[in-house]
């Protein structure tokens, strides 16, 4: 383990600035290898409010992790997809999923 003089020098801190919080990793996981519209994302994450989902999507777009494609149609259509940069998190998200499943199993075994 490497020691860091400043917490901001820690690569984990830098990573969490991009994907930290309750919803960003879930949004990235839902978008993994597919393109979805806002409503489709919302249905897959029912616990998130539309306002927060909109805010989190904007931040992920601003950070270059997802694409937002707006079509010039009536009614308006907007689709979201993972960027190549965002795809670089696939192994991280897969490991988080595996760890979560193990944690769930571990919790059941200890009750």
């Amino acid at each position: 383990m490497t020691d860091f003089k400043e917490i901001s020098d820690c690569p984990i801190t830098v990573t969490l600035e991009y994907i930290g919080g309750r919803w960003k990793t879930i949004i990235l996981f839902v978008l993994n290898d597919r393109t979805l519209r806002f409503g489709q994302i919302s249905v897959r994450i029912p616990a998130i409010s539309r306002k927060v989902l909109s805010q989190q999507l904007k931040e992920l777009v601003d950070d270059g992790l997802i694409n937002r494609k707006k079509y010039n149609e009536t009614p308006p259509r907007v689709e979201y997809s993972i960027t190549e940069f965002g795809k670089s998190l696939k192994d991280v998200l897969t490991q988080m999923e595996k760890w979560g499943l193990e944690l769930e199993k571990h919790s059941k075994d200890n009750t």
Side-chain angles (χ1 to χ4, degrees), residues 102-111:
E102 285 298 317
L103 178 62
E104 189 176 73
K105 181 181 172 190
H106 177 76
S107 296
K108 285 180 184 177
D109 291 344
N110 288 329
T111 56

Side-chain angles (χ1 to χ4, degrees), residues 33-97:
D33 293 328
R34 65 183 126 187
T35 299
L36 296 173
R37 294 172 70 175
F38 183 90
Q40 294 170 313
I41 299 168
S42 182
V43 166
R44 286 170 172 80
I45 313 172
I48 190 172
S49 73
R50 294 178 72 81
K51 178 183 176 185
V52 172
L53 176 57
S54 180
Q55 177 186 7
Q56 296 291 282
L57 287 168
K58 182 181 181 327
E59 289 176 16
L60 288 165
V61 168
D62 290 346
D63 288 339
L65 296 171
I66 64 172
N67 290 312
R68 179 183 188 272
K69 185 173 182 180
K70 183 178 180 180
Y71 294 86
N72 192 16
E73 299 175 351
T74 304
R77 176 171 54 123
V78 177
E79 294 179 339
Y80 296 90
S81 61
I82 297 259
T83 62
E84 286 303 313
F85 180 50
K87 287 179 183 178
S88 68
L89 288 164
K90 185 174 183 171
D91 291 341
V92 172
L93 298 174
T94 299
Q95 287 302 314
M96 289 174 71
E97 177 188 27

